[in-house]
Amino acid sequence: MSLRMIETALSAIKPAPPVSVSIIVKTNNGIIRSKETKQMRSASIIKLFILASAYHLKEKGKLSLTDQIKLSSNDFVQGSGVISYLSDVKFLTYQQLLELMIIVSDNTASNYLIERLGIPEIQAFIESLGCQQTRLERKFMDIEAQKLGKENVTSALDVIRLFDIFTEKNNFLGEKSQQHILSILKNQQFNSKLTAYTEYNPLVTSYHKSGELKGVEHDAAIFLKDNKSFKVVVLTEGWENNGDGQAFIASFGKVLHRFLQQEA
């Protein structure tokens, strides 16, 4: 299956307005892109940038991921995650907070990290990467900030740029940090979208992070097969029913899985 065939297959399943879809598929053989610079509400995809920022600070000696912190009930927020539902949380390390933020999209862990790293500092790091459409303006589940018009946003192009930082030699993250980040993404627990068809394929390794809000469904993944990297970002919004959005991205994943199976 060629990139042109993938593009044709994706066009056949793309939803009609008012749903908006932003896509990048980056392979060794070329790139498919559609509205890749469109800025959308990021949902939990923004947590990838928090993850990168934390590891960047670690490399600069400004954050020790082994340091322990004690959470109080005041730190707990609702939404995705497990921390706020556990009966007795004593101490967690920053490393564990990062892992929980990604593999179960824990909002409590994410908010603690945002508080520790600082919104202005994380945003400055995002901009230093050249990510022009990504902004972190509030914590998760912060209804008051939302009422003030503050929103976290990103684009497919920015997420692909971040994935390149995770996998290619650069001045922001060393090889060891890249390996740690990928090991976290590999342990992602939510696999109903892009990775729905690759999860149990032993020939394909998947590293990804999804995100969702009412009317918003996203997924971003790095697939590795035979030492070949295959990166894809799908951002969507405008769904009347989120289940339809999840089904669309899973269908997208099915097309990509067929391509991966045919790759030599």
Side-chain angles (χ1 to χ4, degrees):
M1 180 183 287
S2 66
L3 286 182
R4 180 60 181 167
M5 292 173 68
I6 292 177
E7 210 165 2
T8 301
L10 295 180
S11 296
I13 63 173
K14 190 176 290 187
V19 175
S20 181
V21 179
S22 174
I23 294 169
I24 291 189
V25 179
K26 185 175 182 180
T27 76
N28 299 86
N29 300 317
I31 300 177
I32 298 170
R33 59 181 79 209
S34 175
K35 299 181 180 179
E36 71 278 7
T37 61
K38 180 177 175 58
Q39 194 177 63
M40 294 191 183
R41 287 185 292 163
S42 64
S44 289
I45 291 290
I46 197 82
K47 293 171 183 177
L48 290 168
F49 293 89
I50 301 170
L51 177 69
S53 181
Y55 271 93
H56 181 62
L57 286 176
K58 172 186 175 293
E59 292 202 353
K60 294 173 67 176
K62 295 184 177 181
L63 180 67
S64 172
L65 300 186
T66 58
D67 282 355
Q68 290 187 325
I69 57 96
K70 182 172 175 56
L71 294 170
S72 71
S73 58
N74 292 330
D75 296 314
F76 295 168
V77 294
Q78 299 301 306
S80 59
V82 298
I83 292 176
S84 62
Y85 301 101
L86 297 177
S87 58
D88 185 20
V89 179
K90 294 190 180 296
F91 293 95
L92 291 170
T93 65
Y94 284 103
Q95 179 68 43
Q96 290 168 331
L97 290 177
L98 290 169
E99 292 165 351
L100 288 165
M101 177 179 69
I102 298 300
I103 66 173
V104 292
S105 206
D106 197 290
N107 286 336
T108 294
S110 303
N111 281 359
Y112 194 96
L113 289 163
I114 291 172
E115 181 69 26
R116 169 63 176 82
L117 304 183
I119 288 179
E121 290 76 13
I122 296 172
Q123 185 59 39
F125 172 73
I126 290 170
E127 292 172 8
S128 73
L129 299 177
C131 296
Q132 300 179 7
Q133 289 90 36
T134 301
R135 293 203 60 82
L136 176 69
E137 295 190 341
R138 63 172 178 83
K139 292 181 179 179
F140 295 92
M141 308 303 291
D142 189 340
I143 306 302
E144 294 305 314
Q146 281 185 299
K147 289 179 180 178
L148 295 174
K150 295 183 178 182
E151 190 55 87
N152 301 329
V153 294
T154 193
S155 70
L157 180 62
D158 282 358
V159 178
I160 280 289
R161 185 173 282 117
L162 184 64
F163 275 176
D164 288 342
I165 297 296
F166 289 169
T167 59
E168 300 173 11
K169 189 173 182 179
N170 61 84
N171 296 322
F172 299 99
L173 296 173
E175 185 177 352
K176 190 172 182 179
S177 291
Q178 290 175 323
Q179 290 173 350
H180 286 170
I181 286 172
L182 290 176
S183 69
I184 294 173
L185 294 174
K186 185 180 178 182
N187 291 327
Q188 175 60 241
Q189 297 297 294
F190 302 140
N191 292 291
S192 63
K193 291 186 259 188
L194 279 178
T195 59
Y197 290 88
T198 59
E199 184 181 3
Y200 298 108
N201 185 337
L203 301 179
V204 179
T205 305
S206 305
Y207 313 88
H208 79 114
K209 179 77 186 78
S210 63
E212 52 270 329
L213 293 167
K214 182 175 175 55
V216 173
E217 288 291 341
H218 304 324
D219 207 356
I222 301 170
F223 297 106
L224 192 64
K225 183 188 178 190
D226 300 328
N227 295 318
K228 293 182 179 179
S229 174
F230 184 95
K231 300 166 185 171
V232 54
V233 181
V234 185
L235 306 182
T236 70
E237 63 182 11
W239 299 100
E240 183 176 345
N241 186 306
N242 276 58
D244 292 333
Q246 294 168 17
F248 162 67
I249 299 179
S251 296
F252 193 147
K254 186 176 183 179
V255 171
L256 298 177
H257 185 232
R258 290 206 309 270
F259 175 80
L260 287 166
Q261 286 180 308
Q262 295 173 25
E263 278 283 270

